[in-house]
Amino acid sequence: QVQLVESGGGLAQPGGSLRLSCTASGILFSLYTMGWYRRIPGQERELVAQITFGGSTNYADSVKGRFDISRDNAKNTLYLQMNSLKPEDTAVYYCQAQRTLIGLFWGQGTQVTVSS
């Protein structure tokens, strides 16, 4: 059974930082492209950042230079370091694992709220 469990969400002040983690089980983590998505209230879920099994990364324009995605294959864990947080970063953040012809899996989401 595949499980993706996010943690690290919470309340941060504008300009602050948070680090999200996503621990995977039931998949061969190192072979999956991993991503962070978010759903802002009233909007569609959107890609925040993605890292391939080879380590290539891409980011949404809105988070470039502020967020950093990384992975630790030995720990089956994906990270998202979020710096210089803005109120518009408030959303539910989801972890995604995908592998062509194998499948696509989602975590349950973790709430991030940026407010003073």
Side-chain angles (χ1 to χ4, degrees), residues 4-110:
L4 301 176
V5 180
E6 300 102 334
S7 61
L11 177 65
Q13 293 193 338
S17 298
L18 284 174
R19 189 194 197 201
L20 304 183
S21 299
C22 169
T23 301
S25 59
I27 60 171
L28 197 53
F29 181 82
S30 62
L31 297 183
Y32 278 71
T33 290
M34 301 297 298
W36 289 101
Y37 287 72
R38 68 186 180 188
R39 178 175 279 131
I40 296 169
Q43 299 184 22
E44 296 288 321
R45 185 156 49 186
E46 63 178 6
L47 175 68
V48 176
Q50 192 175 61
I51 183 167
T52 70
F53 59 86
S56 298
T57 60
N58 67 287
Y59 296 89
D61 288 343
S62 59
V63 307
K64 280 180 182 177
R66 300 189 297 122
F67 290 11
D68 180 59
I69 189 170
S70 61
R71 64 192 297 162
D72 185 337
N73 290 338
K75 296 182 178 180
N76 286 359
T77 301
L78 175 73
Y79 303 100
L80 185 69
Q81 179 66 44
M82 305 186 294
N83 300 322
S84 302
L85 283 163
K86 303 176 180 179
E88 51 263 43
D89 294 319
T90 296
V92 179
Y93 284 72
Y94 298 89
C95 173
Q96 184 205 67
Q98 63 170 301
R99 187 177 172 197
T100 304
L101 301 180
I102 300 296
L104 187 151
F105 306 99
W106 293 95
Q108 82 287 349
T110 186

